[in-house]
């Protein structure tokens, strides 16, 4: 019954124009009949709670029903969030100032809230830090995040006013990443995305990924031009990186550093940090932690209370069986495999 209610709600919210655009894209890449794709998409939306975007991203047209049922789709992920995450605690993750205060021991850098800090305090802050990062307090995806170099030409008074006018209220000391991470891509801080599940006083690492900037923008976010790939238990990247358009990168397009085989420094310490951070707010049990690597070890950048499920299961990063991660997540979250939720 819950599944039917969810399905009906999704039908009323569906953007049919975008759906048919997506069907055309799938037709172009697969050659399969559009009418067949439409009805198969409707079938998958009910059977597997998969939206048309899920269908497109996971190449459902090429999968058997046995393979399809192993995928974390939008509806499946919503079930995980309802089970593990109490939304009344989301403010700790959505408000970047609150996050930095709550997780200060892992953040390990000085920060300033311009909603409270005077111009004099800001001037002293930039006097201590030659490079700063400025961010909106409550936006995600790397939107309006910028790196600013402070030098003798910087008009501090004007900068203070500009940042307040653009609502880039959070000012942080710039994270200087490890020389190896800098070698991979020096334009942005390249962060690890470590997804954890905290349940029954136990933390399980669900996913180990690395986000890499495109060499042009100051951020590594997937939705802001960056790319991502996975690394194994020994900290070695095992697959090519992929950007949002589905383009694969064996070698970084700007630094020319080979991506597959790259060894991430301090990866064990980063995993340990994510596991310890997961204990701070156990009411939010499913979190994606973004962690940077410096010459002195890992530092926490932010936590995502709604970690994207799409990047877990891209075609390039799956095993040869083309199976998704639902059985693993189900086992950890519900205590069994392939349970219908």
């Amino acid at each position: 019954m819950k599944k039917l209610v969810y399905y009906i709600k999704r039908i009323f919210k569906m953007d049919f124009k975008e759906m048919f655009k997506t069907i055309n894209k799938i037709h172009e890449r697969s050659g399969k009949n559009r009418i067949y794709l439409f009805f198969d998409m409707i079938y998958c939306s009910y059977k597997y709670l998969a939206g048309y975007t899920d269908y497109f991203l996971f190449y459902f047209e090429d999968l058997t029903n046995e393979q399809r049922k192993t995928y974390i789709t939008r509806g499946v992920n919503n079930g995980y969030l309802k089970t593990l995450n109490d939304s009344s605690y989301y403010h700790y993750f959505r408000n970047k100032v609150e996050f930095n205060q709550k997780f200060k021991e892992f953040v390990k850098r000085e920060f300033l809230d311009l909603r409270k800090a005077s111009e004099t305090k800001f001037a002293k802050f930039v006097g201590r830090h030659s490079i700063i990062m400025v961010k909106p307090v409550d936006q995600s995806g790397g939107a309006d995040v910028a790196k600013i170099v402070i030098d003798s030409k910087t008009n501090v008074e004007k900068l203070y006013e500009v940042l307040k006018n653009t609502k880039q209220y959070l000012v942080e000391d710039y994270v200087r990443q490890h020389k190896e991470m800098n070698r991979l891509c020096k334009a942005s801080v390249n962060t690890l995305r470590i997804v954890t599940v905290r349940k029954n006083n136990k933390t399980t690492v669900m996913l180990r990924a690395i986000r890499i900037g495109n060499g042009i923008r100051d951020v590594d976010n997937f939705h802001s031009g960056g790319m991502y790939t996975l690394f194994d238990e020994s900290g070695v990247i095992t697959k090519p990186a992929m950007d949002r358009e589905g383009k694969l990168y064996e070698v970084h397009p700007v630094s020319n550093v080979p991506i597959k085989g790259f060894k991430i420094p301090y990866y064990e310490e980063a995993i340990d940090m994510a596991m310890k951070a997961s204990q701070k707010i156990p009411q939010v049990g499913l979190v994606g932690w973004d962690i940077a690597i410096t010459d002195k070890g890992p530092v926490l950048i932010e936590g995502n209370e709604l970690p994207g499920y799409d990047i877990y299961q891209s075609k390039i990063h799956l095993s040869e069986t083309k199976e998704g991660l639902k059985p693993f997540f189900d086992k950890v979250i519900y205590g069994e495999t392939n349970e219908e939720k």
Side-chain angles (χ1 to χ4, degrees):
M1 188 63 181
K2 289 182 179 179
K3 187 175 181 179
L4 180 60
V5 171
Y6 173 82
Y7 182 70
I8 293 172
K9 287 181 179 178
R10 291 297 304 149
I11 288 291
F12 280 105
K13 293 180 180 179
M14 187 175 294
D15 185 336
F16 285 96
K17 184 178 180 180
E18 286 301 316
M19 178 182 179
F20 287 115
K21 282 184 180 179
T22 302
I23 288 174
N24 284 332
K25 289 180 182 178
I26 298 170
H27 166 74
E28 289 173 4
R29 77 185 182 190
S30 69
K32 293 191 175 182
N33 182 276
R34 291 181 178 88
I35 296 175
Y36 163 80
L37 290 172
F38 172 79
F39 284 106
D40 191 45
M41 197 175 281
I42 294 296
Y43 169 77
C44 288
S45 70
Y46 180 74
K47 182 67 176 178
Y48 309 113
L49 302 180
Y52 57 82
T53 301
D54 294 334
Y55 193 105
F56 174 77
L57 290 174
F58 303 145
Y59 287 76
F60 262 27
E61 76 273 16
D62 292 335
L63 302 180
T64 65
N65 286 340
E66 284 299 308
Q67 291 169 325
R68 288 169 170 178
K69 73 179 184 181
T70 68
Y71 278 72
I72 300 171
T73 60
R74 180 169 183 170
V76 171
N77 194 59
N78 285 344
Y80 295 156
L81 295 172
K82 288 179 181 179
T83 299
L84 294 171
N85 291 1
D86 183 341
S87 60
S88 65
Y89 290 84
Y90 280 179
H91 61 94
Y92 286 112
F93 297 89
R94 292 178 176 175
N95 185 302
K96 290 180 171 60
V97 173
E98 283 191 55
F99 180 86
N100 281 6
Q101 292 169 340
K102 186 71 174 179
F103 294 90
K104 191 174 182 177
E105 63 187 286
F106 307 116
V107 170
K108 299 181 181 179
R109 60 189 177 279
E110 189 179 4
F111 58 91
L112 201 63
D113 183 356
L114 293 189
R115 294 171 301 179
K116 299 179 181 179
S118 65
E119 182 186 319
T120 300
K121 195 168 184 179
F122 174 69
K124 290 180 179 179
F125 185 94
V126 298
R128 294 190 296 272
H129 306 292
S130 58
I131 305 177
I132 60 173
M133 291 296 291
V134 297
K135 307 174 181 178
V137 170
D138 55 2
Q139 291 188 37
S140 60
D144 296 323
V145 174
K147 178 174 72 173
I148 298 176
V149 177
I150 306 298
D151 56 28
S152 59
K153 298 179 182 179
T154 302
N155 185 324
V156 175
E157 180 181 356
K158 184 178 180 180
L159 178 59
Y160 177 77
E161 290 302 322
V162 167
L163 294 179
K164 293 195 72 172
N165 289 336
T166 56
K167 297 184 179 180
Q168 293 167 295
Y169 296 127
L170 179 59
V171 182
E172 298 179 329
D173 181 18
Y174 181 70
V175 174
R176 289 165 174 78
Q177 66 184 346
H178 192 283
K179 59 184 178 182
E180 272 298 287
M181 303 296 278
N182 211 45
R183 185 172 69 87
L184 182 60
C185 176
K186 66 180 181 179
S188 63
V189 176
N190 310 295
T191 57
L192 309 188
R193 166 61 66 87
I194 300 171
V195 178
T196 60
V197 162
R198 181 75 176 174
K199 185 178 181 183
N200 298 330
N201 297 317
K202 178 185 177 182
T203 298
T204 303
V205 174
M206 310 300 289
L207 179 78
R208 298 177 302 273
I210 177 171
R211 305 186 308 172
I212 306 168
N214 60 9
I216 300 172
R217 297 200 59 182
D218 293 335
V219 295
D220 63 353
N221 300 70
F222 192 52
H223 298 278
S224 298
M227 60 193 81
Y228 86 98
T229 185
L230 307 180
F231 64 94
D232 62 19
E233 294 180 353
S234 62
V236 175
I237 295 177
T238 56
K239 299 279 187 176
M242 184 179 78
D243 65 18
R244 187 168 173 77
E245 302 303 316
K247 186 176 180 180
L248 302 180
Y249 299 87
E250 296 275 354
V251 175
H252 193 277
V254 174
S255 69
N256 292 318
V257 172
I259 293 173
K260 185 177 178 180
F262 183 89
K263 181 68 176 287
I264 299 169
Y266 290 115
Y267 69 94
E268 289 180 331
E269 290 83 351
I271 295 291
D272 184 62
M273 175 177 284
M275 295 186 73
K276 288 178 178 175
S278 73
Q279 301 173 37
K280 295 285 287 185
I281 307 178
Q283 295 86 352
V284 182
L286 176 56
V287 181
W289 306 98
D290 293 339
I291 298 176
I293 306 297
T294 73
D295 287 336
K296 296 181 180 180
V299 296
L300 184 59
I301 301 298
E302 65 181 21
N304 300 270
E305 79 290 354
L306 304 175
Y309 61 91
D310 50 349
I311 68 170
Y312 301 175
Q313 306 161 105
S314 66
K315 188 176 182 180
I316 187 61
H317 297 127
L318 295 175
S319 66
E320 293 181 0
T321 63
K322 297 182 180 179
E323 292 182 352
L325 296 180
K326 184 175 182 290
F328 175 46
F329 273 66
D330 280 358
K331 186 175 182 179
V332 173
I333 296 170
Y334 300 131
E336 54 187 279
T337 304
N338 284 332
E339 182 178 1
E340 289 290 339
K341 291 288 179 180

